[in-house]
Amino acid sequence: MNAKYPLNPQHPLNPAHDHRRLGRELGLFDTDPLMGAGLPYWLPDGAVVRHVLEEYVREAERAAGYRHVYSPVLGKRELYEISGHWDHYGEDMFPPMRLGGEEVVLRPSLCPHHALIYRSRSHSYRELPLRMAELGGMYRSELSGVLGGLTRVRAIQLNDAHIFCTPEQAVAEARAALDLIRRAHDDLGIRAARYRLSLPGGSAKYVADPALWRRATALLEEVLDGVEYESAEGEAAFYGPKIDVQISDPAGRESTLSTVQIDFHQPERFDLHYTGPDGGRHRPVMVHRSVIGSVERVVAHLIEAHGGAFPVWLAPVQLVVLPVADAQEERALDVVRRAEARGIRAELSGPGDGTLGARIRAARLVPYQAVIGEREADAGCAAVRLRDGRRPGAVPVDALLDRIAARDGDRGAELWAAA
């Protein structure tokens, strides 16, 4: 941990909150020219944040009725010709690779794969809505000049989902997806800067089907009824309009984090259907939805929004145990083991790491510090110091672990609520 960073995560002009600088100094991620630009790797503490975040969103999706799938990051060029990506999104795709007599492409999106998974089985209207989710990799051929940190990368881990439903279900499903996004943002401490209805512009990159655009736009306007939003031309996906949840970084720069889209184009292109109550074939609607967007972008935002002082449930290390002297190190190790047995991420910072004061300063972004001196060791307690500067004093170790586990479980923001 680095003691230079202040603890106020809301400071709007603090350059130390730049995720590129802070993420490297805290050992969350880095890059190497031999791996290539826009291809960051995750260090152990960053991998913890990513893992916890991914498990959180999977749990939230399961509770909302989604089923998870895995699909390959490669696809034949023909797949993206059918989906429309090749014609309308080709500039952002990596060139095809020859594989025998075929051309395969690193996918720029997960939706064509999910359309094929849906198409692989017959479906009745009784099964709909069918909510399919995946945390999957995709690749964008971003120009070197726009790459930076985790916000613009070439290899993306996307929290993506596609809901296949009847036309009558589309508004309710899109509205439920927007509610899921709001709940996740509350848990993560993310504030939406604004909601945007992204519409097509005059460019040839958009599918030329005015009726499709009018129909999808009308449904999204119904979803946004009662929500304050702005419309923006030229920001839609090539196949349909979308609701973008915009966020701002501490420098005021805006980007899109979460999205909800209604798509009539790809169900048509892939000839998707379901059997209706009349026994006939009917075309489903495809609702695209991403709760936290790309893992890379959301972690970058969280680093900057919290200044590296992550909420307890996301913190790479939740508890650091500091024995005052070598004589208390074995007792401190026992506390670490007991914490880990309860699923708490704990570390020992012993006398070999420096003076007690230096160790306290080095761990100042850790939510909880447990100092164990001779008196605490004898009493089975720890002198607790909180990241926000408060000192609750000597607390029985089990009581301390109970509090940390409770904050981790309920994702609460308060480190030490009144008992």
Side-chain angles (χ1 to χ4, degrees), residues 67-87:
R67 302 289 301 277
H68 290 92
V69 299
Y70 290 104
S71 58
V73 298
L74 290 170
K76 290 172 63 174
R77 171 176 167 169
E78 181 184 358
L79 171 62
Y80 305 106
E81 290 174 340
I82 293 172
S83 70
H85 284 82
W86 192 259
D87 288 337

Tab-separated table of all heavy atoms in Angstrom, residues 67-87:
chain	number	residue	atom	x	y	z
A	67	ARG	N	-29.319	-17.438	-16.998
A	67	ARG	CA	-28.532	-18.667	-17.068
A	67	ARG	C	-27.226	-18.334	-17.777
A	67	ARG	O	-27.221	-17.646	-18.793
A	67	ARG	CB	-29.280	-19.758	-17.843
A	67	ARG	CG	-30.643	-20.104	-17.265
A	67	ARG	CD	-30.550	-20.843	-15.951
A	67	ARG	NE	-29.810	-22.096	-16.075
A	67	ARG	CZ	-30.349	-23.245	-16.502
A	67	ARG	NH1	-31.628	-23.292	-16.858
A	67	ARG	NH2	-29.624	-24.348	-16.554
A	68	HIS	N	-26.118	-18.861	-17.259
A	68	HIS	CA	-24.811	-18.508	-17.795
A	68	HIS	C	-24.318	-19.536	-18.810
A	68	HIS	O	-24.569	-20.738	-18.676
A	68	HIS	CB	-23.795	-18.345	-16.666
A	68	HIS	CG	-24.043	-17.123	-15.838
A	68	HIS	ND1	-24.823	-17.140	-14.703
A	68	HIS	CD2	-23.659	-15.835	-16.006
A	68	HIS	CE1	-24.889	-15.916	-14.204
A	68	HIS	NE2	-24.194	-15.112	-14.977
A	69	VAL	N	-23.617	-19.024	-19.808
A	69	VAL	CA	-23.040	-19.859	-20.857
A	69	VAL	C	-21.575	-19.458	-21.057
A	69	VAL	O	-21.124	-18.426	-20.553
A	69	VAL	CB	-23.805	-19.703	-22.192
A	69	VAL	CG1	-25.257	-20.130	-22.038
A	69	VAL	CG2	-23.729	-18.260	-22.713
A	70	TYR	N	-20.852	-20.269	-21.793
A	70	TYR	CA	-19.507	-19.941	-22.272
A	70	TYR	C	-19.506	-20.100	-23.788
A	70	TYR	O	-20.099	-21.054	-24.316
A	70	TYR	CB	-18.450	-20.870	-21.682
A	70	TYR	CG	-18.184	-20.675	-20.215
A	70	TYR	CD1	-18.681	-21.573	-19.274
A	70	TYR	CD2	-17.415	-19.605	-19.764
A	70	TYR	CE1	-18.423	-21.415	-17.921
A	70	TYR	CE2	-17.151	-19.426	-18.409
A	70	TYR	CZ	-17.659	-20.338	-17.491
A	70	TYR	OH	-17.398	-20.170	-16.152
A	71	SER	N	-18.841	-19.206	-24.469
A	71	SER	CA	-18.723	-19.321	-25.918
A	71	SER	C	-17.312	-18.931	-26.336
A	71	SER	O	-16.635	-18.181	-25.644
A	71	SER	CB	-19.768	-18.445	-26.625
A	71	SER	OG	-19.634	-17.085	-26.248
A	72	PRO	N	-16.838	-19.432	-27.488
A	72	PRO	CA	-15.445	-19.206	-27.896
A	72	PRO	C	-15.201	-17.764	-28.347
A	72	PRO	O	-16.122	-17.069	-28.786
A	72	PRO	CB	-15.246	-20.186	-29.051
A	72	PRO	CG	-16.614	-20.432	-29.580
A	72	PRO	CD	-17.539	-20.342	-28.413
A	73	VAL	N	-13.944	-17.338	-28.224
A	73	VAL	CA	-13.601	-15.960	-28.611
A	73	VAL	C	-13.315	-15.853	-30.107
A	73	VAL	O	-13.086	-14.758	-30.613
A	73	VAL	CB	-12.388	-15.438	-27.809
A	73	VAL	CG1	-12.716	-15.396	-26.329
A	73	VAL	CG2	-11.139	-16.267	-28.080
A	74	LEU	N	-13.339	-16.974	-30.812
A	74	LEU	CA	-13.146	-16.981	-32.257
A	74	LEU	C	-14.449	-17.350	-32.951
A	74	LEU	O	-15.273	-18.080	-32.408
A	74	LEU	CB	-12.074	-18.003	-32.654
A	74	LEU	CG	-10.622	-17.711	-32.274
A	74	LEU	CD1	-9.772	-18.951	-32.534
A	74	LEU	CD2	-10.082	-16.521	-33.041
A	75	GLY	N	-14.598	-16.862	-34.162
A	75	GLY	CA	-15.732	-17.243	-34.991
A	75	GLY	C	-15.352	-17.126	-36.454
A	75	GLY	O	-14.437	-16.372	-36.809
A	76	LYS	N	-16.034	-17.858	-37.284
A	76	LYS	CA	-15.757	-17.758	-38.716
A	76	LYS	C	-16.185	-16.388	-39.234
A	76	LYS	O	-17.148	-15.791	-38.741
A	76	LYS	CB	-16.501	-18.869	-39.460
A	76	LYS	CG	-15.941	-20.262	-39.187
A	76	LYS	CD	-16.818	-21.350	-39.786
A	76	LYS	CE	-16.882	-21.267	-41.299
A	76	LYS	NZ	-17.623	-22.413	-41.856
A	77	ARG	N	-15.472	-15.924	-40.223
A	77	ARG	CA	-15.811	-14.626	-40.819
A	77	ARG	C	-17.279	-14.590	-41.239
A	77	ARG	O	-17.962	-13.568	-41.074
A	77	ARG	CB	-14.900	-14.367	-42.025
A	77	ARG	CG	-15.311	-13.162	-42.856
A	77	ARG	CD	-14.333	-12.903	-43.973
A	77	ARG	NE	-14.883	-11.956	-44.942
A	77	ARG	CZ	-14.187	-11.388	-45.913
A	77	ARG	NH1	-12.898	-11.681	-46.044
A	77	ARG	NH2	-14.750	-10.550	-46.752
A	78	GLU	N	-17.786	-15.702	-41.724
A	78	GLU	CA	-19.174	-15.770	-42.182
A	78	GLU	C	-20.156	-15.415	-41.068
A	78	GLU	O	-21.209	-14.808	-41.314
A	78	GLU	CB	-19.460	-17.177	-42.700
A	78	GLU	CG	-20.866	-17.374	-43.237
A	78	GLU	CD	-21.119	-18.818	-43.641
A	78	GLU	OE1	-20.194	-19.652	-43.531
A	78	GLU	OE2	-22.255	-19.106	-44.066
A	79	LEU	N	-19.819	-15.781	-39.814
A	79	LEU	CA	-20.692	-15.463	-38.684
A	79	LEU	C	-20.908	-13.964	-38.576
A	79	LEU	O	-22.036	-13.492	-38.360
A	79	LEU	CB	-20.070	-16.010	-37.396
A	79	LEU	CG	-20.721	-15.593	-36.070
A	79	LEU	CD1	-22.161	-16.079	-36.000
A	79	LEU	CD2	-19.913	-16.140	-34.895
A	80	TYR	N	-19.835	-13.200	-38.750
A	80	TYR	CA	-19.932	-11.747	-38.583
A	80	TYR	C	-20.454	-11.070	-39.840
A	80	TYR	O	-20.925	-9.932	-39.781
A	80	TYR	CB	-18.567	-11.200	-38.157
A	80	TYR	CG	-18.087	-11.909	-36.916
A	80	TYR	CD1	-17.066	-12.849	-36.995
A	80	TYR	CD2	-18.716	-11.711	-35.691
A	80	TYR	CE1	-16.659	-13.554	-35.873
A	80	TYR	CE2	-18.318	-12.417	-34.569
A	80	TYR	CZ	-17.285	-13.340	-34.665
A	80	TYR	OH	-16.909	-14.037	-33.559
A	81	GLU	N	-20.393	-11.762	-40.962
A	81	GLU	CA	-21.069	-11.265	-42.159
A	81	GLU	C	-22.580	-11.373	-41.970
A	81	GLU	O	-23.335	-10.455	-42.329
A	81	GLU	CB	-20.613	-12.059	-43.380
A	81	GLU	CG	-19.176	-11.778	-43.780
A	81	GLU	CD	-18.693	-12.676	-44.904
A	81	GLU	OE1	-19.307	-13.755	-45.129
A	81	GLU	OE2	-17.694	-12.317	-45.542
A	82	ILE	N	-23.028	-12.488	-41.381
A	82	ILE	CA	-24.462	-12.648	-41.132
A	82	ILE	C	-24.947	-11.634	-40.099
A	82	ILE	O	-25.992	-10.990	-40.285
A	82	ILE	CB	-24.760	-14.083	-40.644
A	82	ILE	CG1	-24.481	-15.085	-41.762
A	82	ILE	CG2	-26.210	-14.204	-40.159
A	82	ILE	CD1	-24.550	-16.536	-41.312
A	83	SER	N	-24.197	-11.450	-39.028
A	83	SER	CA	-24.634	-10.549	-37.958
A	83	SER	C	-24.630	-9.088	-38.382
A	83	SER	O	-25.318	-8.259	-37.781
A	83	SER	CB	-23.737	-10.719	-36.733
A	83	SER	OG	-22.435	-10.196	-36.978
A	84	GLY	N	-23.835	-8.760	-39.412
A	84	GLY	CA	-23.714	-7.365	-39.846
A	84	GLY	C	-22.459	-6.684	-39.339
A	84	GLY	O	-22.137	-5.576	-39.758
A	85	HIS	N	-21.720	-7.335	-38.434
A	85	HIS	CA	-20.499	-6.724	-37.907
A	85	HIS	C	-19.471	-6.479	-39.007
A	85	HIS	O	-18.773	-5.463	-39.000
A	85	HIS	CB	-19.890	-7.611	-36.812
A	85	HIS	CG	-20.614	-7.548	-35.506
A	85	HIS	ND1	-21.754	-8.288	-35.252
A	85	HIS	CD2	-20.370	-6.829	-34.377
A	85	HIS	CE1	-22.171	-8.033	-34.018
A	85	HIS	NE2	-21.349	-7.157	-33.469
A	86	TRP	N	-19.358	-7.421	-39.931
A	86	TRP	CA	-18.321	-7.303	-40.962
A	86	TRP	C	-18.537	-6.057	-41.829
A	86	TRP	O	-17.584	-5.338	-42.143
A	86	TRP	CB	-18.312	-8.562	-41.830
A	86	TRP	CG	-17.091	-8.631	-42.699
A	86	TRP	CD1	-16.996	-8.325	-44.025
A	86	TRP	CD2	-15.777	-9.001	-42.285
A	86	TRP	NE1	-15.709	-8.491	-44.459
A	86	TRP	CE2	-14.934	-8.910	-43.412
A	86	TRP	CE3	-15.232	-9.419	-41.075
A	86	TRP	CZ2	-13.576	-9.211	-43.361
A	86	TRP	CZ3	-13.876	-9.719	-41.025
A	86	TRP	CH2	-13.064	-9.612	-42.149
A	87	ASP	N	-19.793	-5.774	-42.163
A	87	ASP	CA	-20.088	-4.611	-43.009
A	87	ASP	C	-20.127	-3.312	-42.226
A	87	ASP	O	-19.706	-2.265	-42.743
A	87	ASP	CB	-21.440	-4.809	-43.711
A	87	ASP	CG	-21.378	-5.862	-44.802
A	87	ASP	OD1	-20.259	-6.121	-45.311
A	87	ASP	OD2	-22.423	-6.449	-45.112
